[in-house]
Amino acid sequence: MLLLLACAAAPESNGKVVVIGLDGLEHSMLDRLIAGGELPNFARLEKEGVRGEMEVTTPIMSPILWTTIASGYPAEIHGIGGWTTGRGHSFSGADVRVNRIWDVASRYHVPVGVAGWLMTWPASPVEGWMLSERFVWSYPMNKDPNEKSVGVASNSERQATTFPDHLREVAETLRPDDAWVAASPLAYQVAEYGAPFHPLVRDETHVRVFEHEWPGTHGRFGAVYLNGADQVSHLYWAFSDSGVQNSIRKDPSAHTAAAQAASKPGRRPLPYADGITPEQLATAARYVPDYYRYLDTVVGRIWALCDADTTLIVLSDHGFKVSTAQPLINGSHNEIAVFLAAGRAVKPGRVKLHVFDVAPTLYALLGLPAASDMPGHVLTEAFDVQPVAPVETWRLERAAVAEGTADGGLADEQLRDQLEALGDRKSTRLNSSHLVISYAVFCLK
């Protein structure tokens, strides 16, 4: 079967699809800033296209959800159970047990370009190009930079971050330099945290590589992933909430006490744990909205690369809300994610969808077969498209590498730190019964 697929002709063109994945993008913040005229590109997407509230599976963990978005399968099938395996290694692309959209597209000789998507290290051979999420090394914003020096990736890790190999040299030239960062509206955030702790340099590199590679590769499926909104929101979401701001103004000492109590060894103290002034509160309140303003420019830049034959999709894996457990200092995940689309095949309006519906819809937009064992459906209510006849499954008979044997090296430590930093996540991997129960609940719905 695989040999036949390898020889398969490219399907009749249904146009191009570009997906921008924005980790942690929240509906309420979009609404607030769009109403204020501050996000012109998001506003245009909403006006010209379709906007949806997307329900996601629980537990809400980015590696699980972005792999589901790209594959159409739940975690207990696609194999990514969190950030790290039970054997102490970070999950990686070698642990994915299903074909993802770029794998299937490549089998049908449909050119693709992927920049920074989670679980794409080691970068796999595709019909086109791939920059893995580990090309730019980063640490969570609240890791204490004095606790342990920033490590250096091994030669094998550096060499496996792109496909083809020569893309690595090209991507190195596209990293934003210090002068660009200093001129950015987010310079005050980077100055506070520094690279590689603040996500701006990583996100901007993903965007620049996509901008550089997409126009010249005749791609039909493109994907770029940015995680900055998630990182910034975990630390600063509470400050952007007017109710929390009022509480802090009335009693700044309550915030200070909560931040000191929640600070832990090996992490930076939480923002303003030594006390917060009205001026500092005003600065803190800018962090999340300013990052959204940067993301709006990103949407505009990538949208400018899309011709009339392209469907542009912008989506998140979850939203954000003020934490009920630590309302003065923490942002927690909202289970409703953002879905926006405009362009060639879109039916303007509103839609409700499930995260399982994304991949089957992407397959239909590309004229490729989804699999009949995927739980989602094609969003014909939002797109003028008809799915092609499905294949039985896009599962792999076995993972490319047995679970837990892919040594992520430095990335193992970084991903554990990343998980530890993200607020209310209790563990680095999932109990298999939790995955089965979550999927069963969806099926019963």
Side-chain angles (χ1 to χ4, degrees):
M1 178 181 176
L2 293 180
L3 186 59
L4 289 172
L5 286 173
C7 301
E12 183 177 344
S13 177
N14 265 17
K16 306 168 190 173
V17 180
V18 171
V19 178
I20 306 175
L22 302 178
D23 204 305
L25 196 72
E26 162 59 31
H27 281 283
S28 62
M29 185 62 70
L30 285 181
D31 289 338
R32 168 182 151 188
L33 296 176
I34 288 173
E38 300 176 71
L39 303 179
N41 293 298
F42 281 110
R44 181 185 164 202
L45 266 174
E46 183 175 35
K47 180 179 179 180
E48 297 182 9
V50 62
R51 179 168 173 177
E53 294 185 353
M54 184 168 74
E55 182 183 354
V56 302
T57 54
T58 57
I60 301 174
M61 299 182 75
S62 294
I64 296 172
L65 289 167
W66 290 111
T67 305
T68 292
I69 288 168
S71 70
Y73 288 103
E76 66 271 19
I77 294 176
H78 66 54
I80 300 301
W83 289 102
T84 60
T85 72
R87 301 179 185 180
H89 296 303
S90 57
F91 277 108
S92 75
D95 297 301
V96 179
R97 297 173 179 159
V98 297
N99 286 288
R100 287 170 284 181
I101 184 73
W102 47 80
D103 301 314
V104 175
S106 297
R107 292 184 184 278
Y108 285 89
H109 305 290
V110 172
V112 304
V114 181
W117 205 272
L118 288 187
M119 301 296 125
T120 54
W121 183 87
S124 55
V126 291
E127 184 90 5
W129 59 271
M130 177 177 289
L131 179 87
S132 88
E133 83 276 22
R134 296 192 192 178
F135 175 78
V136 179
W137 292 93
S138 66
Y139 284 81
M141 288 174 66
N142 68 352
K143 179 177 174 64
D144 185 351
N146 300 315
E147 180 72 14
K148 183 179 288 187
S149 62
V150 177
V152 178
S154 68
N155 286 332
S156 63
E157 288 169 326
R158 289 198 303 269
Q159 291 169 356
T161 55
T162 66
F163 179 86
D165 289 340
H166 66 75
L167 177 60
R168 181 159 53 94
E169 285 72 30
V170 174
E172 287 289 355
T173 69
L174 296 172
R175 288 178 189 256
D177 58 19
D178 291 343
W180 181 89
V181 172
S184 166
L186 296 174
Y188 72 98
Q189 298 185 18
V190 182
E192 178 69 22
Y193 286 88
F197 299 94
H198 190 275
L200 177 62
V201 169
R202 186 173 189 241
D203 281 359
E204 178 66 16
T205 302
H206 293 174
V207 176
R208 291 186 179 193
V209 170
F210 190 85
E211 287 178 311
H212 185 273
E213 294 296 314
W214 181 253
T217 53
H218 307 290
R220 286 206 35 225
F221 175 76
V224 57
Y225 166 83
L226 310 179
N227 85 330
D230 179 84
Q231 289 234 35
V232 172
S233 295
H234 270 291
L235 289 177
Y236 286 89
W237 186 266
F239 297 110
S240 69
D241 181 84
S242 59
V244 175
Q245 290 172 18
N246 290 334
S247 296
I248 294 175
R249 289 189 189 99
K250 290 177 181 178
D251 185 6
S253 64
H255 170 270
T256 301
Q260 290 177 349
S263 295
K264 296 181 179 180
R267 302 187 191 180
R268 298 176 195 253
L270 289 177
Y272 313 111
D274 57 351
I276 187 166
T277 67
E279 293 76 16
Q280 289 171 325
L281 178 58
T283 298
R286 292 173 49 199
Y287 265 71
V288 175
D290 280 354
Y291 214 93
Y292 275 57
R293 294 179 187 106
Y294 164 69
L295 295 178
D296 187 76
T297 68
V298 168
V299 170
R301 288 159 61 184
I302 295 177
W303 203 346
L305 305 176
C306 300
D307 58 23
D309 198 36
T310 304
T311 301
L312 175 66
I313 296 174
V314 179
L315 76 169
S316 65
D317 57 336
H318 58 79
F320 263 91
K321 58 187 178 183
V322 173
S323 169
T324 55
Q326 298 175 314
L328 296 180
I329 60 172
N330 198 11
S332 62
H333 291 163
N334 179 3
E335 64 275 8
I336 300 299
V338 171
F339 184 91
L340 293 158
R344 182 182 187 272
V346 170
K347 298 176 181 177
R350 295 272 180 163
V351 67
K352 288 188 180 292
L353 68 152
H354 195 279
V355 67
F356 290 144
D357 302 330
V358 176
T361 302
L362 294 178
Y363 280 112
L365 288 168
L366 291 167
L368 294 170
S372 58
D373 63 345
M374 291 177 179
H377 76 282
V378 176
L379 295 168
T380 54
E381 61 270 40
F383 297 91
D384 185 13
V385 65
Q386 292 299 320
V388 301
V391 298
E392 181 179 347
T393 187
W394 282 121
R395 304 186 198 193
L396 301 173
E397 288 191 10
R398 64 185 69 202
V401 178
E403 178 183 334
T405 62
D407 186 356
L410 174 64
D412 287 335
E413 177 186 338
Q414 290 178 308
L415 287 178
R416 282 193 292 271
D417 287 339
Q418 174 79 10
L419 180 70
E420 183 77 6
L422 298 185
D424 27 279
R425 296 176 186 175
K426 305 290 186 188
S427 63
T428 59
R429 65 188 179 93
L430 296 179
N431 183 298
S432 61
S433 63
H434 193 170
L435 292 171
V436 172
I437 291 170
S438 177
Y439 184 40
V441 168
F442 169 81
C443 294
L444 287 172
K445 288 182 179 179

